[in-house]
Amino acid sequence: AAGAKTILITPSDSKAIVPAIKKAQAQGVMVIALDSPTEPANATDALFATDNYKAGVFIGQYAKAALNGKKPVIATLDLFPGHPVGAQRHNGFLQGYGLTSLDAKSNELAKPAEVVCMADSFGDRAKGQTGMENCLQKNPDINVVYTINEPAAAGAYKALKAAGKEKDVVILGVDGMCSNGVGNVEKGVIAATSMQYPLKMAAMGVAAGVKFAKDGKRQSGYTDTGVDLVAAKAVAGVKSIDTKKARGQCWGD
């Protein structure tokens, strides 16, 4: 209604937004998704985002190396059912660990025998804490915790610390936020996290919109905006950056 030529979106309900996107496109508007794909992914003209499956693979590889041959007893604090980003990070983590998983196109969550508990955190610290508390009641021997993001990881740590188990568990996250992410890697709250680059996503989206306004050429397809593993302690065979470098690239709180 305001006359926008390009709309940038970060979809939360990846299916429900599609009819509105189609309506905008029918009026000549270019619609670009940032961070999260729609379902189907080709509903938008383009997508600028992290390869979330790869982000999961990185922290899975790190977790396996950090456990150093011990049998994994895994809890996953996921996003919520059916969200593509949540599924990609979860399944990528399991793939990176070398466990039975699903591919990047699945919106379902794999649950191999090594995963003894799964909880939906909605990416929230308080829900992450509750999920971890419930998982510890189910199995007190959990030694690896995958989390959808760093606030959920902070919640998991709080629950583990209350139970006196924070030093016995490897906690992994995704996002690369400054305090919740890099800061908590520095403090030992999170063993490692996969850093994404949302500012890059936004900048590239704006640039594509400016180009479209000037020459009418639509951006199309998927552009991988990169991901790096951030770890306080490097492990053999897993490429990572240290927290000093990560401090210069982090975002948000």
Side-chain angles (χ1 to χ4, degrees):
K5 300 295 184 185
T6 296
I7 298 175
L8 309 179
I9 63 168
T10 51
S12 56
D13 191 322
S14 57
K15 288 183 179 180
I17 194 65
V18 171
I21 292 171
K22 295 302 181 186
K23 185 177 179 180
Q25 289 171 326
Q27 297 180 44
V29 176
M30 179 170 69
V31 182
I32 295 176
L34 307 177
D35 186 51
S36 303
T38 51
E39 191 176 346
N42 63 4
T44 55
D45 291 275
L47 168 67
F48 292 108
T50 307
D51 183 333
N52 283 290
Y53 197 84
K54 184 190 293 185
V57 168
F58 284 173
I59 56 173
Q61 291 172 338
Y62 187 91
K64 183 173 184 178
L67 221 58
N68 196 26
K70 294 180 183 177
K71 180 182 177 181
V73 184
I74 301 171
T76 68
L77 301 185
D78 298 296
L79 190 54
F80 52 80
H83 196 288
V85 170
Q88 288 162 13
R89 292 181 182 182
H90 173 107
N91 292 330
F93 169 80
L94 296 176
Q95 177 68 31
Y97 206 104
L99 302 175
T100 302
S101 189
L102 299 169
D103 66 28
K105 295 181 180 179
S106 177
N107 286 343
E108 300 298 319
L109 304 181
K111 191 179 184 300
E114 293 84 357
V115 176
V116 297
C117 184
M118 295 168 62
D120 295 327
S121 73
F122 291 80
D124 177 76
R125 183 188 299 255
K127 289 183 173 64
Q129 180 179 346
T130 299
M132 189 71 248
E133 290 168 349
N134 292 337
C135 283
L136 285 173
Q137 289 179 359
K138 290 182 179 180
N139 193 318
D141 298 324
I142 290 165
N143 56 14
V144 177
V145 178
Y146 154 83
T147 65
I148 179 64
N149 67 1
E150 294 148 355
Y157 178 83
K158 188 173 182 180
L160 288 163
K161 188 173 183 179
K165 295 179 177 292
E166 77 277 11
K167 295 181 180 179
D168 304 324
V169 180
V170 178
I171 305 176
L172 297 311
V174 179
D175 271 347
M177 301 170 75
C178 291
S179 58
N180 281 316
V182 179
N184 277 343
V185 172
E186 290 170 336
K187 295 174 184 175
V189 171
I190 305 173
T193 191
S194 283
M195 174 178 280
Q196 59 176 344
Y197 299 99
L199 297 179
K200 184 177 180 180
M201 299 173 200
M204 293 178 74
V206 170
V210 170
K211 180 175 174 56
F212 179 55
K214 288 181 176 179
D215 61 21
K217 292 183 179 179
R218 289 175 177 261
Q219 181 77 29
S220 64
Y222 166 61
T223 300
D224 183 351
T225 52
V227 62
D228 287 303
L229 181 71
V230 180
K233 181 181 179 181
V235 295
V238 183
K239 184 180 178 181
S240 64
I241 63 174
D242 60 25
T243 54
K244 183 177 180 180
K245 183 175 181 179
R247 274 287 176 191
Q249 304 174 167
C250 64
W251 56 277
D253 291 328

